[in-house]
Amino acid sequence: MRIYRPPPLSVAQQYLALRSNPICVGEGQMRCGSLTWEYEVQPSLLSRTYDIRISYSVGKKPQVLVRNPSLVELARPRRLPHVYQQDPTLLCLYRSTKGDWTARMHIAKTIVPWTALWLFFFEAWLASNEWKGGGEHPSDGDSRRRDLDPEER
């Protein structure tokens, strides 16, 4: 017996879902199997506002870049926790090797709220120096494979 798995969502489907999500009102573009989406997010009423760019290409996982303010500057002299890359800052939002996100999932329903939650925990970390967001911190081995969707390996 074969188990039916729906196909990955197309870039156009991801784009339309982002356009209709009220928590990430912004601008984006699609080109040749990839998309970028830029928006502002304020994780809580007392938080600062962050400029976010999500980049996604078919067969790869979404990358979330915090464009402004510089998280590296806010964290100095400490190193940022729970990121794939310090500067520019690429957030670690889920365990890519465990299938926490797949290309069958909407970026607007997963990556967007996970980004706001990550930033909420980041602001708590700034005050307490303790990462309370849980998860597994990326290792060197994971970051080398981070671009591949687990289903595409």
Side-chain angles (χ1 to χ4, degrees):
M1 183 168 104
R2 271 185 113 183
I3 297 174
Y4 172 75
R5 286 188 173 183
L9 297 172
S10 70
V11 168
Q13 288 171 307
Q14 295 285 12
Y15 182 85
L16 289 173
L18 286 163
R19 276 189 52 191
S20 64
N21 187 337
I23 66 170
C24 67
V25 173
E27 296 181 352
Q29 60 183 4
M30 295 184 294
R31 288 193 186 149
C32 303
S34 66
L35 73 82
T36 58
W37 189 258
E38 296 179 352
Y39 67 102
E40 292 182 342
V41 63
Q42 184 179 9
S44 76
L45 292 176
L46 300 176
S47 298
R48 60 181 53 88
T49 300
Y50 297 88
D51 294 329
I52 304 297
R53 176 184 292 145
I54 298 173
S55 301
Y56 175 67
S57 295
V58 173
K60 297 185 177 184
K61 73 172 197 167
Q63 292 189 334
V64 179
L65 171 73
V66 178
R67 298 174 56 212
N68 194 39
S70 167
L71 301 187
V72 171
E73 292 295 322
L74 292 173
R76 284 215 162 130
R78 302 168 289 178
R79 289 183 53 81
L80 294 170
H82 220 64
V83 295
Y84 283 119
Q85 182 176 300
Q86 292 285 312
D87 197 12
T89 304
L90 291 176
L91 304 185
C92 176
L93 301 175
Y94 59 91
R95 302 169 303 171
S96 59
T97 58
K98 306 284 187 190
D100 291 345
W101 188 88
T102 71
R104 293 182 189 95
M105 297 175 173
H106 283 99
I107 292 169
K109 294 179 182 176
T110 56
I111 301 301
V112 168
W114 294 346
T115 298
L117 188 59
W118 190 100
L119 290 166
F120 176 83
F121 286 118
F122 167 74
E123 290 190 344
W125 173 81
L126 285 176
S128 70
N129 207 33
E130 182 181 347
W131 182 259
K132 297 179 182 179
E136 297 174 6
H137 296 278
S139 65
D140 289 338
D142 188 38
S143 64
R144 281 191 290 268
R145 295 178 55 126
R146 72 170 194 240
D147 287 340
L148 295 178
D149 189 312
E151 297 170 357
E152 304 295 324
R153 287 190 200 125

